[in-house]
Amino acid sequence: AALRKLHTRRVDVQSPDYLGVPLCVSRSRTYSIIAWEAITHVDALKTCFDEVFPAMSNYDVTRLPAEARADVFGHFDCNLTNILVDVEAAGGPSISFIDWEQAGPNIAAYDFGKFLVSVCIAVELQDAELQAAVADLVQGYAPEWDQAAKERMKRSLIAMMPYVAAVNFMSNVRHASTEVGDRWVNRGGAHYRIWSKYQAHWALATQDPSAAPSSSKTFPGGVGACMLRSRGADDEGSCTIS
């Protein structure tokens, strides 16, 4: 219910990096391009990067069901540290969000995916526990939806987990290349593990018959065909982004 209220907000001032597509699309592209250059300085994540980077070309959010790809005002960083719960609020527990600098136009499923990734990094959930949590989230978000719509949204929320993990992994690589210490390497490793565990769920949601038809493989402005080459002393590799 808290995310439903958030997603119906209308904001006149756009995010500075809004490019006319959902922020998860434009930022995945930007983070991937930066990470492509930065990974040469982060040996600890190189093997993980070589797996995650090519997979980014498959993340076309227009293939998600309509409920999941709906245009909303999104928070973009709904991790556990940015969610406050007031258990003593009048009328029952109240949820609020902090840290709004990344907020802006996005797809509905992204905030859920970010939250679920954050939870699964903090606590290892069994599949049954994750499914139960997702069912509760969807019921609270849209109790009026019919069962078919709820099932599509449930599949989509889990499908967003590898997407979110991949986007955050690319961001972690960027930070790890410039900051001293292993904090960002550790975060990158955690996001890689979530990506690896749940990556098969992307196809399960995007094969849904209600997904939008697409004449091309990638969302405009998204990560397109990427060519990985081995990096040598005189060869920094090449990447084509569409």
Side-chain angles (χ1 to χ4, degrees):
L3 274 179
R4 178 70 171 265
K5 183 177 180 180
L6 165 64
H7 285 174
T8 55
R9 288 189 178 188
R10 294 292 178 265
V11 178
D12 295 331
V13 179
Q14 296 289 4
S15 173
D17 63 340
Y18 179 60
L19 301 176
V21 297
L23 288 176
C24 64
V25 173
S26 58
R27 287 174 180 170
S28 68
R29 180 179 187 272
T30 300
Y31 295 171
S32 297
I33 292 172
I34 295 173
W36 172 262
E37 299 295 336
I39 194 61
T40 58
H41 306 290
V42 193
D43 290 342
L45 295 177
K46 180 64 169 63
T47 300
C48 301
F49 178 86
D50 287 348
E51 291 184 53
V52 179
F53 187 80
M56 296 294 284
S57 65
N58 295 321
Y59 294 141
D60 176 6
V61 299
T62 67
R63 300 303 303 162
L64 289 168
E67 298 84 4
R69 68 176 189 272
D71 295 327
V72 301
F73 175 79
H75 184 281
F76 200 82
D77 197 17
C78 286
N79 67 67
L80 292 175
T81 62
N82 289 335
I83 301 172
L84 305 180
V85 181
D86 182 359
V87 296
E88 298 181 351
S94 174
I95 296 176
S96 57
F97 302 94
I98 60 173
D99 199 0
W100 291 88
E101 66 262 23
Q102 297 190 64
N106 209 353
I107 62 170
Y110 189 89
D111 281 340
F112 288 100
K114 178 72 177 186
F115 171 73
L116 291 169
V117 166
S118 177
V119 170
C120 288
I121 287 176
V123 180
E124 185 173 354
L125 295 182
Q126 300 299 316
D127 287 345
E129 294 173 314
L130 177 60
Q131 293 287 349
V134 167
D136 287 343
L137 287 171
V138 173
Q139 179 61 30
Y141 188 73
E144 76 281 7
W145 287 357
D146 62 34
Q147 193 57 38
K150 290 177 180 177
E151 291 300 323
R152 290 193 296 269
M153 189 64 163
K154 286 191 286 186
R155 288 193 296 272
S156 297
L157 298 196
I158 298 179
M160 285 306 294
M161 293 177 67
Y163 183 108
V164 169
V167 171
N168 281 268
F169 173 83
M170 294 299 169
S171 179
N172 298 153
V173 169
R174 174 189 59 173
H175 289 298
S177 71
T178 60
E179 296 192 20
V180 177
D182 58 4
R183 177 176 62 147
W184 292 105
V185 169
N186 291 339
R187 289 189 181 184
H191 283 118
Y192 168 78
R193 288 188 290 273
I194 296 297
W195 174 83
S196 181
K197 181 175 182 179
Y198 294 102
Q199 59 173 317
H201 287 272
W202 176 261
L204 297 178
T206 55
Q207 289 171 355
D208 195 291
S210 73
S214 177
S215 58
S216 61
K217 186 176 182 181
T218 56
F219 196 105
V223 178
C226 298
M227 299 176 292
L228 287 176
R229 293 162 52 189
S230 60
R231 296 175 183 268
D234 300 319
D235 183 6
E236 291 300 316
S238 63
C239 172
T240 301
I241 304 291
S242 64

